[in-house]
Structures are given as structure tokens and as C-alpha cells.
Amino acid sequence: MGISFKEVSHFYPGLKKKQITTALDSINLEISSTNEFVAITGKTGSGKSTLIQHMNALMLPSRGNVIIFDKVITSNKKKNPKLKEIRKRVGFVFQFPEYQLFEETVLKDIMFAPLNFGYSEKEAKQKAL
């Protein structure tokens, strides 16, 4: 199993007390763990970024479950699995690469994640190549 959304909703607090904005409303989605590429498109404010941030638990659902490689993510932070393992397996390519790159070379930029997950510089370089 890859990534699965089961009746996922996400709400943002509004500007006024007790006001909420619905960004995702009962989303059901299945993405295979092999041989599948997915592109998310839509107009500004349609929930694309919110949806994508749920795919590696940068955001938690307000309702429903996101299942990422058999790990169930819910709105309850205490019951969620260790997110570091999920984030090792789910990556993003941003629409504007100039916002993604922050190191002086592409190699160093790609090595950033493995280094943050505890790999040595040599191991990170091997993974990046």
C-alpha cells in the first residue's frame, strides 16, 4: 500500500471566533506504492498544498485517516506513529525549483535530507548520486 486518504477533512481556524475554513472535505484517495506518479493540479485556494502536506504528515487531518505505507495518521497526535520513518519515504518536488534549492549545489541540496536522517556524509552522497 502507498498512500490512502479515508474520508479526510481539514479545517483552518477563521479570522473570527468559532469560524472555520474547510480546505479538504471528506477526501478519499488511493496512491499505489509502485509504478505510479501523481500530479496535483487546481486553482489557487483549492486545497492542493493542504492535501500534499498530509502525504507525509506535515499536517494532520481534522477528521478521517491518512494511511502512509501502512502507518495510520489521525488527528490525535499521541496515537500517531513516528513520523520520521514516514518522511524518509515520501518526498516532494515543488512547482518552483528556485524555492526548493537552498544549498550552493544541487548535490548538497539532495544530500540535505539523508544528512538530517543521520546518514554520514559519504552515505548521503551515495544516496544522492
Side-chain angles (χ1 to χ4, degrees):
M1 178 185 292
I3 299 172
S4 178
F5 284 66
K6 304 287 186 195
E7 294 294 319
V8 172
S9 295
H10 190 88
F11 309 111
Y12 289 106
L15 297 175
K16 297 179 181 178
K17 211 175 199 178
K18 296 187 181 181
Q19 181 185 26
I20 62 166
T21 299
T22 302
L24 303 176
D25 189 12
S26 300
I27 300 294
N28 290 296
L29 173 67
E30 297 284 333
I31 300 173
S32 174
S33 62
T34 58
N35 300 323
E36 188 165 17
F37 290 91
V38 177
I40 308 293
T41 64
K43 65 182 184 174
T44 301
S46 63
K48 301 178 302 289
S49 295
T50 302
L51 178 77
I52 289 169
Q53 289 180 61
H54 281 77
M55 290 185 186
N56 75 350
L58 289 173
M59 296 182 113
L60 301 178
S62 300
R63 279 196 213 132
N65 296 322
V66 180
I67 304 163
I68 305 169
F69 299 106
D70 299 321
K71 309 265 192 248
V72 180
I73 308 299
T74 69
S75 60
N76 187 336
K77 291 179 185 179
K78 292 179 182 178
K79 291 188 177 182
N80 286 328
K82 292 187 178 185
L83 302 179
K84 189 174 183 179
E85 294 304 313
I86 291 169
R87 292 179 181 148
K88 284 182 179 181
R89 298 191 63 191
V90 179
F92 304 114
V93 176
F94 294 95
Q95 180 177 1
F96 299 106
E98 60 271 18
Y99 297 153
Q100 181 173 333
L101 300 173
F102 52 87
E103 289 284 355
E104 57 198 49
T105 68
V106 173
L107 177 61
K108 285 184 180 180
D109 205 62
I110 295 171
M111 289 171 56
F112 178 81
L115 288 169
N116 277 333
F117 286 124
Y119 290 96
S120 70
E121 189 145 343
K122 181 180 178 183
E123 292 169 321
K125 189 172 185 177
Q126 288 173 331
K127 289 187 173 294
L129 296 173

